Amino acid sequence: EVQLAESGGDLVQPGGSLRLSCAASGFTFSDHWLDWVRQAPGKGLEWVGRIKRKIDDYVTEYAASVRGRFTISRDDSKNSLYLQMNSLKIEDAAVYYCTDLGTAFWGQGTLVTVSS
Amino acid sequence: DVVMTQSPLSLPVILGQPASISCRSSHSLMHSDGNTYLSWLQQRPGQSPRRLIYEVSKRGSGVPDRFSGYGSGTDFTLRISRVEAEDVGVYYCIQDTHWPPTFGQGTKLEIK
């Protein structure tokens, strides 16, 4: 059974940093491009960024709203995906999902709250 | 960025009746590889999104056959042949033909 389990969500002050993790199982993790998608409270879905596979040189892509502040990485030996979030803003508050938009895989999400 | 416009944004439906959601894109979603990367997601209250339809009309594993998708170019539709209580939630279209991937605003389906 495919599972994606996000963790690391927390309350952080504006300007702070947070690192989210996503542990994967049930599929060949290294074969997949992986995405982070977020959902602000009561709002719709917003793509945050993507990391490609090793054969694609682990290329990363980011939404304009987070570029330069967020960094996506992966550790294929640990079947894990990461999202390093720096210089957090109020508007970054959301549930963050790890997913592979090319498949049906979605995690349950982890909540990031940005507030002073 | 490709703008995805859904309508209606709110959809009250009587149980057992059909329902349709429209999704229009600002650019054609036909990829140079010949595929059209338009998917439909369902998000039930309090749950993560779940992919129902991919590449316009392909149903995901375990998705009931009352859900169907069709369309081409810039105009797409999700149809539910007979709405059931478990279909309550928000439905999103998403395109992954053009970078960056973009979502529609969501359509909230409720039982009338």
Side-chain angles (χ1 to χ4, degrees):
Chain A
E1 179 191 4
V2 170
Q3 288 195 336
L4 292 171
E6 302 91 338
S7 60
D10 204 348
L11 169 64
V12 62
Q13 292 186 341
S17 297
L18 203 59
R19 189 194 197 207
L20 305 183
S21 300
C22 175
S25 60
F27 65 102
T28 306
F29 182 82
S30 58
D31 285 350
H32 289 254
W33 295 6
L34 295 159
D35 301 272
W36 286 98
V37 171
R38 68 185 179 183
Q39 186 170 37
K43 302 297 185 182
L45 300 168
E46 179 189 14
W47 180 79
V48 172
R50 169 178 287 167
I51 186 165
K52 298 185 179 181
R53 305 166 297 180
K54 181 178 180 179
I55 62 172
D56 301 310
D57 295 327
Y58 295 127
V59 166
T60 53
E61 299 169 336
Y62 300 94
S65 57
V66 306
R67 194 175 301 134
R69 300 186 299 121
F70 289 13
T71 301
I72 299 174
S73 61
R74 64 192 293 167
D75 185 337
D76 290 344
S77 68
K78 295 181 178 179
N79 286 354
S80 292
L81 174 70
Y82 306 101
L83 179 64
Q84 177 67 42
M85 302 185 293
N86 297 332
S87 304
L88 281 160
K89 304 176 180 181
I90 299 284
E91 54 265 37
D92 294 320
V95 174
Y96 284 73
Y97 296 101
C98 68
T99 178
D100 174 356
L101 290 177
T103 70
F105 309 160
W106 283 80
Q108 85 288 347
T110 188
L111 177 63
V112 173
T113 303
V114 184
S115 174
S116 53
Chain B
D1 296 1
V2 174
V3 177
M4 305 295 286
T5 303
Q6 291 183 224
S7 63
L9 299 185
S10 178
L11 183 56
V13 184
I14 295 172
L15 284 173
Q17 293 299 300
S20 290
I21 301 170
S22 169
C23 177
R24 289 193 167 91
S25 59
S26 59
H27 297 72
S28 172
L29 299 186
M30 170 75 80
H31 194 276
S32 57
D33 66 8
N35 295 317
T36 298
Y37 296 102
L38 183 284
S39 299
W40 289 96
L41 308 177
Q42 175 196 60
Q43 188 174 31
R44 290 169 171 154
Q47 295 188 13
S48 304
R50 166 199 182 198
R51 191 178 71 172
L52 298 175
I53 302 288
Y54 64 101
E55 293 179 22
V56 180
S57 59
K58 298 176 181 178
R59 239 184 336 267
S61 174
V63 174
D65 60 9
R66 64 178 183 276
F67 290 95
S68 61
Y70 57 92
S72 64
T74 62
D75 200 347
F76 304 92
T77 301
L78 175 70
R79 178 176 166 81
I80 309 173
S81 59
R82 294 173 306 280
V83 170
E84 298 188 4
E86 66 179 19
D87 299 336
V88 165
V90 181
Y91 292 78
Y92 297 92
C93 59
I94 173 180
Q95 71 80 24
D96 202 7
T97 294
H98 304 288
W99 189 91
T102 47
F103 294 88
Q105 319 97 298
T107 295
K108 186 173 185 178
L109 185 149
E110 61 181 23
I111 303 302
K112 192 186 295 183

